[in-house]
Amino acid sequence: CGKSTLLLALMGVTRSGLVRRAGQCRFDGMSLFDASERQLESVRRGQLASRAGYRFAHGAEFKLPGGLPRLFASYHPSQQNTQTGRLTPAMFASVLRRIRRALAAGLRRIEVASFVNPKKVPQMADAEAVLQALGAPPSGVHFIGLVLSHKGFERAVAAGCNEIGMAVVASDTFNRRNQGVSTDDSIAAWLDIARSAEQTGIRAQVTVSAAFGCPFEGEVAVERVVEVARRVAEARPFEIALADTIGVGVPSQVTDLLQFTRDRTPRMA
């Protein structure tokens, strides 16, 4: 397998200080979450320079020069059925509409569903139905399934995903609150999933979440992020993303975190 690429995941596109500082570092792409249409228009007009390629979340539907962005089709809790917790028909249709518009706009990597425990997150219980409605991915397109366990991986593969992504939280407290297990347990699950993905020919990506700060533990040490990145890199993922999950990162952190992670993590491109 080749080397892993390194991505930076930020919350929103208006934090120009972080973007400018990131531009001084060597990285392979960027994820920008929760971007509004007005903010995304500034990117379309070239007010934010594209490097290897941006990945956009929550409705971004265009391709920037130099890379293939990735779209996250999210399930908004306010639009779930308040009695069952499941997606309303209108929300289900909205998810399909956004994915199809993204395909028409030229995106080639789209996270289409989250294969998490439907009893714990009922608004994401319709993952298989989304894939069934979409049909097989067009040639050259990757339908990504978010998974947190081997069972979720098996569901994603059976449903038709040809790429999987997993999140491992750098903060142990956040990981326990979010996934119900320790960071060590999530890393072990990721290594197992990545082996299975390689055996079945499924591309695997991993995100180190809360790399810039945690709502429970506060600042996350650079050494901790590098430690987690090194451990998940053992599985030879094609991509590792460092995520500012709660939007608290500052420019100096971007510089240190990207540089330290690339220098100290084997197999980084």
Side-chain angles (χ1 to χ4, degrees):
C1 296
K3 293 184 177 180
S4 303
T5 58
L6 177 66
L7 271 74
L8 173 67
L10 300 176
M11 300 295 293
V13 300
T14 57
R15 303 169 70 203
S16 56
L18 289 181
V19 175
R20 284 196 298 271
R21 182 62 65 92
Q24 300 170 11
C25 307
R26 182 171 166 235
F27 68 104
D28 305 297
M30 183 178 289
S31 303
L32 299 174
F33 294 84
D34 295 327
S36 69
E37 281 301 315
R38 182 177 180 181
Q39 292 168 333
L40 293 172
E41 182 60 30
S42 70
V43 181
R44 291 190 183 95
R45 294 196 301 266
Q47 294 176 0
L48 291 177
S50 171
R51 287 177 63 84
Y54 291 91
R55 299 185 302 162
F56 290 97
H58 305 319
E61 297 167 355
F62 59 94
K63 175 180 173 182
L64 290 175
L68 297 177
R70 172 179 172 188
L71 172 118
F72 287 75
S74 66
Y75 300 95
H76 199 287
S78 66
Q79 299 190 46
Q80 69 190 46
N81 185 302
T82 55
Q83 293 183 339
T84 66
R86 301 287 292 272
L87 295 180
T88 65
M91 186 54 186
F92 186 84
S94 174
V95 169
L96 295 179
R97 183 169 59 251
R98 281 185 291 158
I99 294 171
R100 287 168 177 154
R101 288 174 60 193
L103 286 170
L107 274 78
R108 292 295 175 263
R109 297 180 64 210
I110 307 173
E111 186 168 293
V112 295
S114 298
F115 293 86
V116 296
N117 190 329
K119 293 181 180 179
K120 295 182 178 180
V121 193
Q123 63 268 33
M124 296 185 181
D126 298 303
E128 283 85 356
V130 170
L131 268 296
Q132 184 177 13
L134 290 172
S139 176
V141 171
H142 283 83
F143 281 170
I144 307 165
L146 174 67
V147 304
L148 299 178
S149 65
H150 203 279
K151 184 174 182 179
F153 167 76
E154 293 171 351
R155 288 177 57 202
V157 174
C161 291
N162 53 358
E163 180 177 333
I164 61 98
M166 182 169 174
V168 175
V169 188
S171 156
D172 193 71
T173 304
F174 198 169
N175 204 87
R176 290 179 184 275
R177 295 288 190 97
N178 184 257
Q179 300 187 23
V181 297
S182 68
T183 298
D184 286 345
D185 289 338
S186 286
I187 292 173
W190 153 251
L191 295 176
D192 183 41
I193 290 168
R195 283 192 294 268
S196 296
E198 185 176 10
Q199 293 169 359
T200 55
I202 302 293
R203 200 162 69 169
Q205 177 268 358
V206 61
T207 295
V208 180
S209 301
F212 293 83
C214 169
F216 307 105
E217 297 182 12
E219 184 177 353
V220 178
V222 171
E223 291 78 10
R224 170 63 172 175
V225 177
V226 172
E227 175 199 352
V228 174
R230 287 176 59 88
R231 292 173 66 186
V232 298
E234 294 175 6
R236 302 191 300 268
F238 88 96
E239 176 183 283
I240 299 174
L242 304 181
D244 183 14
T245 306
I246 61 171
V248 296
V250 298
S252 60
Q253 283 180 292
V254 173
T255 302
D256 294 344
L257 204 52
L258 286 170
Q259 193 63 50
F260 273 64
T261 301
R262 185 175 291 284
D263 291 347
R264 301 184 186 184
T265 302
R267 305 191 63 84
M268 295 307 306

